Amino acid sequence: MNFNKGPRQRLKASDFDQVTKDLLASATSIYRCLVACNMAELTIQLTPSLVKMMTRRTSQVRGELKTKMRTLTASFFGFRASRSIPAIKQNRDLAESLKEGSRFVFKDWEMKRGIYKTGLIQEAMNHMWFANRCDEGIVHAKYFDPLPVQTIALILTAIECCIDEWMTGLKEDIKFSSLAYSPVYYLHLDSLQQFDERTAAYKLLGKIGVNLLDVARMHAGVDPFMAAVTIKSFTDDVFDEAIREHEDEAREAQEEGGGD
């Protein structure tokens, strides 16, 4: 590793050798998935300097999700970037209506039907973790299957933050910080868990999660049915056969060599 002498500086990925960079990239990608699936504190077996660098990605994940959802939310609900009096009033009324009773989590938010089926959750999944075959939701599929309730709670919190930006009628930038939005996150998480318990006999939340994952995988270009297929471990007799093949080939080579 190359460290500059003198005043203490913040570590960068370029400060490490290639092997460490590769390890950091892989660990960071996994850590980003863990942040998406569970906002609790995480312990990772790396050096303190690497852990510190990696855990800075927590805020980056929130910021990236918020940035992606900002445009999607405005387009989905019809917020207008206009300074006209009618537009400002329409935006303010819309934001207030969506926030009232968390209407925005419904597929039909005006009639409050289709709880936790708003298309914005799917949009978030598609754009944040399932954009293509190499995205984190595909590469690190085990962290998303089954889809953690914490991931849905995080998405809903990001959507609410985006709606909050329109509460005055004019779009303003609101930081999606842990300090400001952790209480909102835990409210959504608690509500999702209550919904899951109340509808346990029908497994409604689980079915919503399965559908979200299936559509997200298709969006990434992966067959959702093939994604669930895993290769079983080979049995010892397969390996024993490989040994016999090697011994036979070695013996034949030796015989051919002796015959010259």
Side-chain angles (χ1 to χ4, degrees), residues 174-234:
I174 296 179
K175 187 175 181 181
F176 189 34
S177 67
S178 176
L179 180 63
Y181 280 92
S182 279
V184 179
Y185 165 81
Y186 285 111
L187 282 174
H188 283 299
L189 181 60
D190 182 63
S191 181
L192 282 161
Q193 289 171 337
Q194 288 185 41
F195 170 70
D196 192 28
E197 292 173 5
R198 183 69 179 85
T199 61
Y202 306 95
K203 300 180 181 179
L204 295 188
L205 188 59
K207 291 177 180 178
I208 289 172
V210 168
N211 185 67
L212 286 168
L213 272 179
D214 284 349
V215 175
R217 285 166 176 157
M218 286 189 287
H219 180 268
V222 175
D223 188 328
F225 299 103
M226 292 300 293
V229 176
T230 57
I231 300 175
K232 294 183 179 179
S233 298
F234 291 114

Side-chain angles (χ1 to χ4, degrees), residues 98-109:
L98 289 170
K99 291 269 291 184
E100 181 186 0
S102 295
R103 285 177 175 268
F104 67 90
V105 309
F106 291 86
K107 183 175 182 179
D108 182 344
W109 65 268

